[in-house]
Amino acid sequence: MADVAQLAGVSSQTVSRVSNGFPGVTEDTRAQVLAAMRELGYRPNSAARALRRGEFRTLGVITFSLSTMGNIRTLEAIATSAAEHGYAVTLLPVAVPTQDEVNGAFSRLGELAVDAVIVIMEIHLLDAATVSLPPGVQVVVADSDAGDRYTVVDTDQTGGARDAVRHLLDLGHDTVWHLAGPEGSFAAQRRANAWRTTLTEAGRTPPPPVRGDWSAESGYRAGLRLADDPDCTAVFAANDQMALGLLRALHERGRRVPGDVSVVGFDDIPESASFLPPLTTIHQDFAEVGRLCVEGVLSKMREDGTEHGTTLVPTRLVRRASTAAPGRGR
């Protein structure tokens, strides 16, 4: 820094203000300092800056299962929002969803330069008394059912599933079958519970659900069973990837969508509008979930906040060509 100051003909304090982006420096002086930095190959020492300020400008994200579309898009949204606030993201993957792995991830936080943590995983793994959060590290949980133990940001799983089922009932279908996600998933549980409750409140008997693992292949296998049931005229799939496999199974069995079977998905992935037929689905605002996670954890850092509770991000039904009244589709 002293070398930069000497070459630019300014004080070390001015160099510090320029490197940290602080105001109070004229544009000409800023240009001189930046030119000197380039000539000397000067780069601010982030470690020294962190020690001086007491912060690392880095958020840790703990998650498992990067294979699911929801987790990937949530992580992308968190990274984008963090960058807008001048923060980097350090990913701490959990290989398998076990208590030991979760404990290990939190233990590694003590070795990494992170200011706060966003957790994308099922909350029951955080319930054990053996989990120890690093002192002073604030935590926000995404996509979970933490209740009042943590600050939570989640999609309105219940509202979205309810809208999907009501849409199919309003079209005139007697009932709605459900292609559910894995049993260990909080999101899958909420969507399945809302499906069942909505049918019951409408005076309909819920059919036995079939279950997948979020993948298109599992949707295809489950879809073969549903396609062989002539009473099945409407299906709510717990995500768009399984809905894609379901569409293939129905096609192979000669059942038209939506002429014979209407299908609604959940997520509104970018490809869902290009399915054949284009998929009616529930839109999740992943960008808003990521933004609220980042802003929530930064707020807790600034205010040393202890507030807990859940913020739900609304969903909306996106109507496309995969749903119609029974027997009326093309």
Side-chain angles (χ1 to χ4, degrees), residues 163-286:
D163 288 345
V165 176
R166 284 178 176 171
H167 169 64
L168 292 167
L169 293 179
D170 289 345
L171 287 172
H173 294 276
D174 290 334
T175 191
V176 178
W177 272 251
H178 185 40
L179 174 46
E183 287 185 293
S185 166
F186 161 75
Q189 291 171 5
R190 278 290 169 92
R191 295 170 197 179
N193 289 342
W195 158 77
R196 187 177 296 105
T197 298
T198 304
L199 286 179
T200 301
E201 290 175 347
R204 318 297 170 88
T205 301
V210 293
R211 195 169 294 279
D213 61 10
W214 296 132
S215 69
E217 178 60 29
S218 71
Y220 172 72
R221 293 192 301 268
L224 293 176
R225 299 197 298 273
L226 290 171
D228 290 337
D229 187 340
D231 293 329
C232 177
T233 67
V235 181
F236 164 46
N239 78 334
D240 290 351
Q241 295 282 50
M242 291 194 298
L244 175 61
L246 169 64
L247 291 176
R248 174 191 166 194
L250 292 170
H251 173 75
E252 290 184 0
R253 288 290 195 264
R255 303 201 67 187
R256 299 169 303 147
V257 177
D260 301 315
V261 182
S262 287
V263 176
V264 177
F266 201 113
D267 282 343
D268 193 23
I269 63 175
E271 297 80 7
S272 62
S274 299
F275 288 3
L276 190 63
L279 183 67
T280 296
T281 186
I282 300 298
H283 177 80
Q284 288 200 74
D285 193 343
F286 292 103

Side-chain angles (χ1 to χ4, degrees), residues 153-163 266-268 282-289 291-292 311-318:
V153 178
D154 190 24
T155 294
D156 185 2
Q157 313 286 351
T158 297
R162 183 175 57 243
D163 288 345
F266 201 113
D267 282 343
D268 193 23
I282 300 298
H283 177 80
Q284 288 200 74
D285 193 343
F286 292 103
E288 182 68 1
V289 171
R291 184 186 70 81
L292 290 174
T311 298
L312 292 181
V313 177
T315 59
R316 59 182 172 85
L317 175 71
V318 180

Side-chain angles (χ1 to χ4, degrees), residues 37-99:
M37 287 180 176
R38 287 192 294 270
E39 183 175 339
L40 295 174
Y42 171 80
R43 295 178 183 176
N45 189 315
S46 58
R49 181 184 295 174
L51 290 173
R52 185 170 63 252
R53 293 179 175 176
E55 63 178 25
F56 301 98
R57 308 293 295 182
T58 301
L59 303 179
V61 178
I62 298 178
T63 186
F64 59 80
S65 183
L66 287 174
S67 62
T68 64
M69 183 63 64
N71 281 2
I72 291 174
R73 295 188 67 186
T74 300
L75 178 60
E76 178 186 29
I78 289 170
T80 299
S81 182
E84 292 174 351
H85 287 276
Y87 281 76
V89 167
T90 295
L91 180 63
L92 294 92
V94 174
V96 290
T98 65
Q99 195 64 63

